[in-house]
């Protein structure tokens, strides 16, 4: 019954900015690490950024200094602020989260449906 829903994608010119959101809903007891992945046509899905439940972050080298991942635990929401966007950032961006529905359940990995980001002049 857990769902992850991304939003905020769209068409933007090179150098522009977008802010993606991912909202988790349903039977949620706790959320551990969350992350953003992306997949461009003809390429493998790649990790963009992760954030732990205490706020520790990691970034792919290709987005360091341009993207910022954050989360609001009270809202079960994660964000990806994307600045100085480049054409090579064009991809479908997916939300990922490890979630358990009760305190004795194992964590389960969930994926959102994806949101399209297109960077083009």
């Amino acid at each position: 019954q857990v769902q992850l829903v991304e939003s905020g994608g769209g068409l933007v010119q090179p150098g522009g900015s977008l802010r993606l959101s991912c909202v988790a809903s349903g039977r949620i007891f706790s959320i551990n690490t969350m992350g953003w992945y992306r997949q461009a046509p003809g390429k493998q899905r790649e990790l963009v950024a992760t954030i732990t439940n205490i706020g520790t972050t990691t970034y792919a080298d290709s987005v360091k200094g341009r993207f910022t991942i954050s989360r609001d635990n009270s809202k079960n929401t994660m964000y990806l602020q994307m600045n100085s966007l480049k054409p090579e950032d064009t991809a479908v961006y997916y939300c990922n989260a490890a979630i358990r529905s009760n305190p004795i359940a194992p964590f389960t990995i969930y994926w959102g449906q994806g949101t399209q980001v297109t960077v083009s002049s």
Side-chain angles (χ1 to χ4, degrees):
Q1 293 185 328
V2 172
Q3 289 186 317
L4 299 178
V5 179
E6 304 98 332
S7 62
L11 175 63
V12 66
Q13 294 184 344
S17 297
L18 286 173
R19 190 191 191 208
L20 306 184
S21 298
C22 171
V23 180
S25 62
R27 293 176 59 85
I28 299 171
F29 176 76
S30 63
I31 304 175
N32 204 332
T33 300
M34 304 181 77
W36 289 97
Y37 289 72
R38 67 186 182 187
Q39 187 167 24
K43 296 184 178 180
Q44 291 186 312
R45 187 171 298 186
E46 65 175 350
L47 181 64
V48 176
T50 65
I51 183 166
T52 71
N53 59 343
I54 60 171
T56 302
T57 61
T58 67
Y59 295 93
D61 288 342
S62 59
V63 307
K64 286 181 179 178
R66 300 188 297 120
F67 291 11
T68 302
I69 188 172
S70 61
R71 64 192 285 173
D72 185 337
N73 291 332
S74 69
K75 298 179 179 179
N76 290 333
T77 301
M78 176 179 64
Y79 306 95
L80 185 67
Q81 179 65 47
M82 303 185 294
N83 298 326
S84 302
L85 283 162
K86 304 175 180 179
E88 50 263 45
D89 295 318
T90 296
V92 177
Y93 283 71
Y94 295 92
C95 176
N96 171 277
I99 300 171
R100 61 180 175 184
S101 58
N102 65 74
I104 62 172
F107 282 98
T108 299
I109 303 300
Y110 292 90
W111 291 90
Q113 82 291 342
T115 185
Q116 177 71 48
V117 172
T118 302
V119 185
S120 177
S121 60

